[in-house]
Amino acid sequence: MHLNEIRVAIPELEAACNRAIEAGDEFGEPCKLVGLKAGTDPAVIKTFIAARCNDRVKKTESKAEQLSILFDECSA
């Protein structure tokens, strides 16, 4: 392991991490607001929008269908 490479990169990595945190807040807060207004879990709104923006609509739909089946068929 080349620890010096990591040590040198720490400031850049921390700055990138902080930008990602800030960007997450910029996306999460509007999702919370829309979720509250729409009477929907904000995480659902966030997942829906992220799927649309990341070209993962079909994959996300498939997961949702599978979860729905599991809850319908396997819940006690």
Side-chain angles (χ1 to χ4, degrees), residues 12-76:
E12 178 184 345
L13 295 172
E14 287 176 340
C17 180
N18 286 325
R19 287 192 303 272
I21 290 167
E22 290 171 8
D25 289 345
E26 288 179 25
F27 178 47
E29 289 302 317
C31 289
K32 286 180 189 176
L33 181 61
V34 170
L36 289 172
K37 287 181 179 179
T40 303
D41 186 328
V44 172
I45 301 293
K46 196 171 184 177
T47 299
F48 173 71
I49 297 300
R52 290 174 51 97
C53 291
N54 292 315
D55 263 348
R56 292 188 172 174
V57 172
K58 294 290 184 196
K59 185 175 183 177
T60 304
E61 283 177 343
S62 177
K63 285 182 179 181
E65 288 171 7
Q66 290 175 27
L67 276 171
S68 180
I69 291 167
L70 285 172
F71 281 114
D72 287 346
E73 299 297 326
C74 299
S75 292

